[in-house]
């Protein structure tokens, strides 16, 4: 017998449920009971009748006793536990394509001991209801073991995407499809032990990365994403991050030696439960998992370093708030508590990066490895410390990074492009984060100082709320630094982000997928286009590469401004540089003018960052029980670098 308190059943209907509830008589008929409407529940009730065919149970608030059922999953009480077990009608399952009611049901027992085991035959008495969209029995729960033999449950084998219209009818049922999934999101694995999966060969894509905002094609992509996406959970609600008062836990699904990443193949090796929690469809293991007991097998593949050919190459690289000034120096608040009793990142102050020197060294090791391995001739950097804004020597952080790059390379491989300070806005109007350009003098020759669009970065300018664009012209070098070919102007950008926008006005989120501040980003793209003729006149060449974090997906309005001005994407449209909400897309772009496109020898995105769990980043060092940090290129940032190669051409 189990007697346990339970949360009160919620009358709220989840947005994913169908709008209308059905009458008790309709439910009974759908369940095959074929009886007339009744004023009270029968002595025993089928699980199908409890589930019903509508949004919520038609027996809400009633005390019911189930017919004999099979226990298919058990979640014992404890910290972060689901607290209960799952039962299913004997003999049900297999291939399901219709809209018959679910034959599975969650029984909530809270912190009371769970005395059943998987495979037991039981009858359960409890109060029927809903808890945040999940039908359950709760309240004064009583369990009676059934002695007689019952038919075993068969896992549902229907392919996931085909169930989008009737997942309600699979709720709490045992499930093991034959299909292969792909890992679509690793963000939540270190927080809650969950992975985003997608059914079939293609990953979910941001709708505005593949189609115009608000278009039927974008709506179709959003519908496709909903159809193929599901979360693989760990059978608990517990978190894994350490804190000064909480012990760190071992994360499931993430092997430190071979960490799973977005794009990896995933095959369910054991049956799971179709579940709905936290407004998301989930696949729960039949018992809480630990590392080594997960019901899935991954096939991993690493993205090789791009080789794009040509006499020189250009790349973008986000350095994840590389600040040589640490939070500890400025007495900032620390974030991301580590099991060694320190913090990893600075919070609540102008310092945006590492909390202490050890964290900076870990961050720098990854950044240096990645940039040297990418080995582009010219690299546009985003999210680097603007040292002068912090009252330090101009470009102190940039100089430190170049020194570390050269130290690792063993020679003066890199140099920084100095910026014409007269073109920058006043320091008081600058941000603590800036853009920068570095290059390899053996491969390209810098044509004068870098230029800045500071005239648009002050009050009232298009880039007042974004990072100041920088531009520098380079010519391919050969032998002893001699230059040849037409100059190429490289423009580094970091447009306004999508978040924290106003509630009203042109920069409010319009709900079309472009997020907040879209009007500001459009103005920034227009100001950039207006600046190009000045740059090309100065360089004496129409060859221009625009790169950086435009905070705009491929088909959004700001990108259309750049396409209309004659710029084309260098990497293929199928490439992605960012993962958000379990959907891939490109906020970072490398665009080339039509004349430069004729000299392009290849282009690619190096997916070393966006698909990795944040646990691999320096900023999450030892925040869980296992150490995932490695001084390699993986997870050196949260954005992926893009690179393109070019022939020198005619000067």
């Amino acid at each position: 017998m189990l007697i346990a308190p339970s949360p009160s059943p919620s009358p709220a209907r989840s947005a994913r449920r169908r709008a209308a509830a059905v009458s008790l008589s309709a439910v009974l008929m759908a369940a095959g009971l074929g009886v007339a409407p009744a004023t009270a529940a029968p002595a025993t009730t089928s699980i199908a009748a409890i589930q019903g065919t509508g949004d919520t149970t038609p027996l809400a608030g009633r005390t019911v006793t189930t017919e004999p059922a099979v226990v298919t999953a058990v979640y014992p009480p404890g910290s972060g536990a689901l607290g209960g077990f799952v039962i299913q009608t004997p003999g049900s399952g297999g291939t399901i394509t219709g809209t018959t009611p679910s034959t599975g049901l969650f029984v909530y027992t809270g912190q009371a001991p769970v005395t059943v085991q998987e495979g037991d035959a039981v009858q359960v008495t409890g109060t029927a209801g809903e808890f945040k969209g999940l039908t359950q029995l709760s309240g004064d729960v009583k369990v009676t073991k059934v002695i007689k033999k019952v038919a075993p449950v068969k896992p549902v084998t229907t392919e996931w995407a085909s169930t989008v219209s009737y997942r309600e009818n699979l709720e709490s049922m045992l499930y093991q499809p034959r299909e292969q999934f792909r890992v679509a999101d690793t963000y939540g694995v270190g927080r809650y032990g969950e992975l985003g999966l997608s059914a079939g060969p293609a990953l979910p894509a941001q709708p505005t990365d593949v189609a115009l905002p608000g278009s039927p094609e974008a709506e179709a992509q959003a519908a496709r994403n909903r159809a193929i996406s599901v979360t693989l959970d760990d059978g608990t609600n517990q978190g894994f991050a350490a804190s000064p008062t909480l012990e760190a836990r071992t994360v499931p699904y993430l092997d430190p030696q071979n960490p799973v990443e977005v794009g990896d193949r995933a095959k369910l090796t054991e049956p799971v439960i179709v579940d709905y929690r936290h407004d998301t469809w989930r696949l729960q293991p039949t018992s809480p998992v630990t590392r080594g007991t997960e019901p899935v097998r991954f096939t991993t593949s690493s993205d090789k370093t791009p080789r794009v050919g040509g006499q020189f190459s250009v790349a973008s690289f986000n350095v994840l708030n590389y600040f040589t000034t640490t939070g500890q120096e400025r007495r900032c608040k620390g974030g991301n508590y580590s099991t060694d009793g320190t913090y990893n990142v600075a919070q609540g102050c102008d310092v945006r990066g590492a909390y202490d020197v050890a964290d900076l060294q870990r961050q720098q090791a990854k950044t240096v490895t990645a940039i040297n391995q990418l080995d582009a001739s010219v690299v546009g950097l985003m999210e680097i410390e603007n040292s002068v804004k912090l009252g330090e020597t101009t470009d102190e952080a940039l100089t430190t990074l170049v020194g570390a790059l050269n130290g690792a390379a063993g020679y003066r491989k890199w140099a920084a492009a100095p910026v014409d300070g007269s073109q920058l806005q006043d320091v008081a109007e600058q941000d603590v984060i800036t853009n920068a350009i570095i290059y390899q003098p053996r491969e390209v020759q810098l044509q004068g100082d870098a230029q800045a669009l500071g005239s648009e970065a002050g009050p009232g300018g298009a880039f007042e709320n974004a990072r100041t664009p920088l531009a520098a012209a380079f010519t391919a070098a050969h032998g002893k630094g001699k230059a040849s070919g037409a100059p190429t102007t490289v423009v580094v950008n970091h447009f306004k982000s999508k978040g924290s926008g106003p509630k009203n006005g042109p920069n409010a989120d319009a709900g079309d997928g472009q997020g907040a501040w879209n009007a500001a980003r459009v103005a920034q793209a227009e100001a950039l286009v207006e600046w190009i003729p000045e740059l090309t006149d100065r360089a004496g060449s129409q060859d221009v590469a625009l790169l950086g974090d435009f905070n705009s997906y491929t088909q959004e309005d700001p990108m259309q401004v750049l396409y209309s001005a004659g710029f084309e994407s260098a990497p293929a449209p199928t490439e992605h540089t960012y993962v958000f909400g379990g959907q891939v897309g490109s906020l970072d772009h490398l665009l080339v003018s039509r004349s430069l496109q004729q000299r392009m020898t290849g282009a690619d995105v190096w997916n070393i960052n966006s698909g990795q769990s944040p646990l691999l980043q320096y900023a999450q060092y030892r925040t869980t029980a296992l150490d995932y940090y490695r001084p390699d290129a993986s997870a050196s940032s949260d954005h992926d670098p893009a690179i393109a190669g070019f022939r020198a051409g005619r000067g």
Side-chain angles (χ1 to χ4, degrees):
M1 177 182 295
L2 297 175
I3 302 175
S6 170
S8 299
S10 171
R13 296 181 179 181
S14 172
R16 54 98 183 179
R17 305 258 183 160
R18 290 180 294 274
V22 295
S23 67
L24 175 59
S25 60
V27 173
L28 295 173
M29 293 299 293
L33 300 181
V35 297
T39 58
T44 62
T45 308
S46 71
I47 292 175
I50 297 170
Q51 280 281 5
T53 58
D55 292 352
T56 59
T57 174
L59 303 179
R62 298 192 185 189
T63 298
V64 297
T65 298
T66 69
E67 292 182 335
V70 179
V71 176
T72 56
V74 177
Y75 308 109
S79 176
L82 300 185
F85 58 96
V86 182
I87 57 176
Q88 187 168 331
T89 302
S92 63
T95 301
I96 295 177
T97 59
T99 56
T100 56
S102 167
T103 57
L105 184 65
F106 180 69
V107 180
Y108 177 77
T109 57
Q111 294 301 311
V114 176
T115 59
V116 299
Q117 298 179 348
E118 289 183 41
D120 284 353
V122 298
Q123 285 185 274
V124 182
T125 300
T127 304
E130 301 286 323
F131 183 70
K132 297 184 177 179
L134 179 71
T135 301
Q136 65 175 20
L137 293 185
S138 61
D140 185 9
V141 172
K142 297 180 176 62
V143 179
T144 304
K145 296 288 184 70
V146 174
I147 305 300
K148 69 177 183 178
K149 187 176 181 179
V150 298
V153 169
K154 295 176 289 187
V156 173
T157 57
T158 309
E159 292 189 350
W160 181 252
S162 69
T163 70
V164 65
S165 64
Y166 59 91
R167 286 174 189 166
E168 173 72 20
N169 307 105
L170 301 178
E171 184 183 79
S172 296
M173 293 182 70
L174 204 62
Y175 181 69
Q176 188 176 14
R178 301 182 182 94
E179 67 187 316
Q180 186 165 250
F181 291 81
R182 295 185 73 183
V183 176
D185 194 6
T186 60
Y187 181 79
V189 68
R191 285 173 167 251
Y192 309 112
E194 60 186 37
L195 283 174
L197 300 182
S198 63
L203 291 168
Q206 295 289 345
T208 55
D209 203 64
V210 299
L212 295 175
S215 67
E217 294 80 7
E219 291 296 325
Q221 181 63 48
R224 177 181 175 277
N225 293 343
R226 291 191 292 271
I228 65 176
S229 299
V230 67
T231 297
L232 177 63
D233 214 332
D234 69 336
T236 77
N237 283 324
Q238 69 183 7
F240 294 90
S243 76
T245 58
L246 288 178
E247 181 180 357
R249 302 174 185 266
T250 301
V251 175
Y253 301 120
L254 195 65
D255 182 353
Q257 305 306 318
N258 189 23
V260 65
E261 59 185 272
V262 170
D264 286 351
R265 306 290 177 177
K267 180 74 173 179
L268 293 176
T269 56
E270 298 177 19
V272 292
I273 299 295
V274 178
D275 191 38
Y276 189 85
R277 296 173 195 271
H278 308 293
D279 300 320
T280 304
W281 282 108
R282 298 170 180 269
L283 302 179
Q284 296 283 3
T286 57
S287 61
V289 300
T290 56
R291 184 168 168 261
T293 67
E294 301 92 337
V296 63
R297 181 178 64 251
F298 300 111
T299 303
T300 60
S301 59
S302 59
D303 197 16
K304 296 181 180 179
T305 308
R307 293 291 176 256
V308 293
Q311 279 72 56
F312 72 99
S313 56
V314 174
S316 65
F317 201 99
N318 183 303
V319 294
L320 191 62
N321 289 331
Y322 175 80
F323 273 59
T324 52
T325 305
T326 66
Q328 193 174 59
E329 291 177 61
R330 296 296 177 98
R331 298 183 179 180
C332 301
K333 181 181 178 182
N336 294 355
Y337 182 81
S338 173
T339 55
D340 62 5
T342 64
Y343 293 92
N344 292 328
V345 292
Q347 292 183 343
C349 65
D350 285 342
V351 176
R352 307 290 177 83
Y355 182 72
D356 59 26
V357 173
D359 296 316
L360 175 59
Q361 291 173 341
R362 282 188 284 270
Q363 179 186 22
Q364 185 170 282
K366 279 189 166 292
T367 303
V368 166
T369 300
I371 293 177
N372 272 335
Q373 194 171 335
L374 184 63
D375 200 30
S377 307
V378 180
V379 180
L381 303 178
M382 288 73 64
E383 291 193 15
I384 192 167
E385 172 190 290
N386 184 10
S387 301
V388 69
K389 181 69 174 181
L390 296 177
E392 301 172 350
T393 304
T394 300
D395 291 337
E396 184 276 332
L398 180 60
T399 301
T400 300
L401 179 58
V402 169
L405 287 164
N406 290 337
Y411 67 98
R412 188 178 178 272
K413 180 177 182 176
W414 297 93
V419 179
D420 183 348
S422 67
Q423 297 189 355
L424 288 168
Q425 67 273 35
D426 291 342
V427 172
E429 298 168 355
Q430 296 178 25
D431 191 68
V432 294
I433 298 172
T434 190
N435 299 320
I437 301 173
I438 60 175
Y439 66 100
Q440 298 189 45
R442 291 189 181 186
E443 298 187 5
V444 291
Q445 187 175 89
L446 175 63
Q447 307 294 305
D449 288 350
Q451 308 297 295
L453 190 54
S455 60
E456 287 287 344
F463 285 90
E464 179 184 10
N465 62 0
R467 309 292 162 7
T468 308
L470 302 181
F474 297 90
T475 305
H478 62 87
K480 299 183 180 180
K482 293 183 179 179
S484 65
T488 297
T489 300
V490 178
V491 188
V492 184
N493 304 275
H494 193 169
F495 285 12
K496 177 62 178 174
S497 65
K498 293 176 175 287
S500 302
K503 294 183 179 180
N504 301 296
N507 282 303
D509 188 339
D512 59 358
Q514 300 189 89
W517 301 106
N518 187 57
R521 289 190 295 276
V522 168
Q524 287 156 17
E526 292 170 343
L528 190 60
V529 168
E530 292 177 3
W531 192 36
I532 299 301
E534 177 184 333
L535 298 174
T536 54
D537 287 348
R538 179 183 177 87
S541 168
Q542 296 298 309
D543 296 347
V544 178
L546 307 178
L547 57 84
D549 182 358
F550 293 84
N551 270 308
S552 308
Y553 289 113
T554 302
Q555 299 300 329
E556 292 183 0
D557 297 341
M559 303 308 299
Q560 299 299 330
V561 172
L562 302 178
Y563 302 149
S564 297
F567 289 91
E568 304 173 12
S569 177
T574 54
E575 299 285 354
H576 70 269
T577 65
Y578 198 65
V579 179
F580 181 77
Q583 299 176 8
V584 300
S586 288
L587 294 176
D588 311 82
H589 302 274
L590 201 169
L591 306 175
V592 295
S593 61
R594 293 193 179 101
S595 59
L596 183 58
Q597 198 277 336
Q598 295 174 4
R599 295 200 280 125
M600 191 170 70
T601 55
D604 204 355
V605 172
W606 192 19
N607 294 128
I608 55 171
N609 296 327
S610 66
Q612 302 287 352
S613 164
L615 286 184
L616 276 65
Q617 297 175 6
Y618 91 92
Q620 297 284 347
Y621 176 70
R622 290 187 175 176
T623 53
T624 63
L626 297 180
D627 181 10
Y628 290 92
Y629 176 82
R630 298 290 181 272
D632 57 13
S634 295
S636 50
S637 181
D638 54 349
H639 295 246
D640 293 319
I643 185 171
F646 305 95
R647 295 185 296 273
R650 297 180 180 179

